[in-house]
Amino acid sequence: DGGITQSPKYLFRKEGQNVTLSCEQNLNHDAMYWYRQDPGQGLRLIYYSQIVNDFQKGDIAEGYSVSREKKESFPLTVTSAQKNPTAFYLCASSPNRADGANVLTFGAGSRLTVL
Amino acid sequence: GENVEQHPSTLSVQEGDSAVIKCTYSDSASNYFPWYKQELGKGPQLIIDIRSNVGEKKDQRIAVTLNKTAKHFSLHITETQPEDSAVYFCAGDSNYQLIWGAGTKLIIKP
């Protein structure tokens, strides 16, 4: 079955540690996204990539880093510079449509808790 | 840039009744307005979308209406069922990205 796989589902980290969240898709989508979700707020875009070896900052990129070395993979690193990293992280992918009507397919999410 | 506001934040309806969630947007250049449903512990999933050249779209018990002049669009769910309980997000496109509303938690009372 085609879809997006995020791992781990739950992750605990001590302050000062970097952590990497995995996101893999087998939908052959060009574009991939990372969102952060906090209670009572909409999805906030961290980073996105429209093509391999290229990515752009979203609205809240500070304290995060990404790479896009392969079309199917878009890992997110939460660095120690991120002041409030405890959140639910969602990865998504979509075809690249010129008209902007991109239907996003989401993974099941990764919940990061900083102790 | 685009700003999307969504109301209400929580909506409780009796099973079998209708539910309506409303969103407003600010960017008159936005052309695409999807609605996503997020069940507990899962990622959001597209349930219906509408383009700016259409005023209404239906899919079984779900419908979306768009008023471009007033810059608002709404999700209508009729004959609500327990499986409709979830968080619903609206969004509008801006510069090939989606700008999201804050979400509405829909509770279906038995």
Side-chain angles (χ1 to χ4, degrees):
Chain A
D1 288 337
I4 294 189
T5 302
Q6 288 188 240
S7 62
K9 191 169 179 68
Y10 299 96
L11 186 61
F12 297 89
R13 171 195 112 171
K14 294 181 180 179
E15 282 191 22
Q17 290 181 334
N18 292 355
V19 62
T20 296
L21 307 180
S22 170
C23 179
E24 303 279 331
Q25 55 103 356
N26 60 5
L27 300 165
N28 200 33
H29 285 169
D30 288 314
M32 296 188 75
Y33 313 79
W34 274 105
Y35 287 94
R36 171 178 170 142
Q37 187 173 27
D38 294 285
Q41 297 191 38
L43 305 178
R44 293 187 290 168
L45 184 63
I46 304 172
Y47 270 97
Y48 65 101
S49 167
Q50 293 180 301
I51 197 169
V52 176
N53 292 322
D54 189 39
F55 48 84
Q56 286 78 40
K57 293 181 179 180
D59 300 322
I60 56 166
E62 185 175 352
Y64 300 97
S65 66
V66 294
S67 63
R68 186 86 187 277
E69 297 176 0
K70 298 186 296 181
K71 186 175 185 178
E72 56 270 21
S73 179
F74 192 40
L76 173 74
T77 296
V78 185
T79 74
S80 56
Q82 168 52 231
K83 299 303 179 188
N84 184 21
T86 294
F88 189 55
Y89 291 88
L90 285 162
C91 179
S93 71
S94 76
N96 256 335
R97 287 183 56 145
D99 61 2
N102 294 317
V103 176
L104 271 60
T105 300
F106 283 87
S110 294
R111 185 167 298 280
L112 172 63
T113 303
V114 175
L115 305 172
Chain B
E2 175 74 289
N3 181 48
V4 176
E5 295 190 357
Q6 183 172 348
H7 300 279
S9 56
T10 304
L11 179 60
S12 184
V13 301
Q14 204 70 36
E15 182 178 348
D17 289 350
S18 295
V20 180
I21 303 170
K22 298 180 180 180
C23 289
T24 60
Y25 63 98
S26 60
D27 188 353
S28 57
S30 293
N31 287 310
Y32 176 64
F33 306 93
W35 286 90
Y36 282 76
K37 175 183 180 182
Q38 185 177 25
E39 297 177 345
L40 196 62
K42 298 182 179 180
Q45 188 170 17
L46 178 73
I47 55 171
I48 196 167
D49 55 13
I50 193 167
R51 307 290 295 274
S52 60
N53 58 349
V54 175
E56 183 176 4
K57 184 177 178 181
K58 287 185 179 179
D59 183 4
Q60 299 181 25
R61 295 186 297 109
I62 293 173
V64 56
T65 58
L66 171 65
N67 183 327
K68 280 213 73 176
T69 303
K71 295 183 191 171
H72 66 72
F73 56 111
S74 300
L75 177 70
H76 305 253
I77 305 174
T78 59
E79 302 174 6
T80 53
Q81 300 170 4
E83 54 264 35
D84 295 329
S85 292
V87 178
Y88 292 81
F89 291 97
C90 64
D93 73 308
S94 179
N95 293 325
Y96 304 105
Q97 298 301 320
L98 290 178
I99 308 302
W100 299 81
T104 296
K105 183 176 182 179
L106 177 60
I107 301 167
I108 307 300
K109 298 181 290 185

